């Protein structure tokens, strides 16, 4: 059974977490099921970037990103080569190390006007 290691995030997961999960679930669903309330403004429909994560280890084990996901990621805050939308990243058989970026481009949650 693969594990997802969540690196500490000041607001969402201050202590970090280690989560056992089954293959076939999205990273976003695994986080939400384990009380890590990652944003998902589009309700996981691949229409925003609020669930953006950086996969520090295990990136190549994930399903391939679609063109739509890649286009959206271009708009994400803190984009890196190992960035994924957590609602689209499906866990395989390998462990993952995931970082939730400090910011999103969701002005409502960031206090924007």
């Amino acid at each position: 059974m693969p594990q997802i290691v969540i690196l500490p995030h000041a607001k969402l997961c201050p202590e970090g977490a280690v989560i056992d999960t089954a293959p076939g679930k999205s990273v976003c669903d695994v986080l939400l099921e384990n009380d890590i309330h990652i944003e998902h403004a589009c309700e996981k429909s691949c229409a925003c970037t609020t669930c953006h994560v950086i996969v520090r280890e295990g990136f190549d084990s994930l399903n391939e990103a679609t063109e739509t996901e890649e286009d959206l990621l271009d708009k994400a805050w803190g984009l890196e080569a190992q960035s994924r939308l957590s609602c689209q990243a499906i866990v395989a058989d390998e462990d993952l190390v995931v970082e939730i970026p400090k910011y999103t481009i969701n002005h409502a949650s960031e206090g924007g006007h």
Side-chain angles (χ1 to χ4, degrees):
M1 178 171 280
Q3 288 186 328
I4 301 178
V5 175
I6 308 300
L7 298 177
H9 180 280
K11 185 176 178 183
L12 300 177
C13 189
E15 303 297 319
V18 178
I19 302 167
D20 291 322
T21 188
K25 291 185 170 192
S26 74
V27 171
C28 186
D29 284 339
V30 173
L31 296 179
L32 293 170
E33 289 168 3
N34 286 276
D35 297 321
I36 300 172
H37 302 288
I38 190 165
E39 288 189 61
H40 52 289
C42 71
E43 295 299 321
K44 303 180 276 183
S45 66
C46 195
C48 74
T49 64
T50 59
C51 72
H52 169 227
V53 296
I54 302 163
V55 182
R56 297 291 181 199
E57 293 179 23
F59 181 84
D60 291 335
S61 71
L62 298 171
N63 60 313
E64 191 170 327
T66 64
E67 187 175 326
T68 300
E69 180 184 356
E70 289 178 355
D71 288 346
L72 284 167
L73 281 168
D74 287 340
K75 301 172 187 176
W77 184 92
L79 179 67
E80 295 190 16
Q82 293 82 22
S83 288
R84 289 295 304 266
L85 298 181
S86 65
C87 69
Q88 300 301 301
I90 305 301
V91 177
D93 293 325
E94 288 186 33
D95 293 346
L96 302 173
V97 175
V98 173
E99 179 180 352
I100 302 169
K102 184 175 181 178
Y103 301 109
T104 70
I105 60 168
N106 184 350
H107 292 283
S109 69
E110 300 299 334
H113 305 319

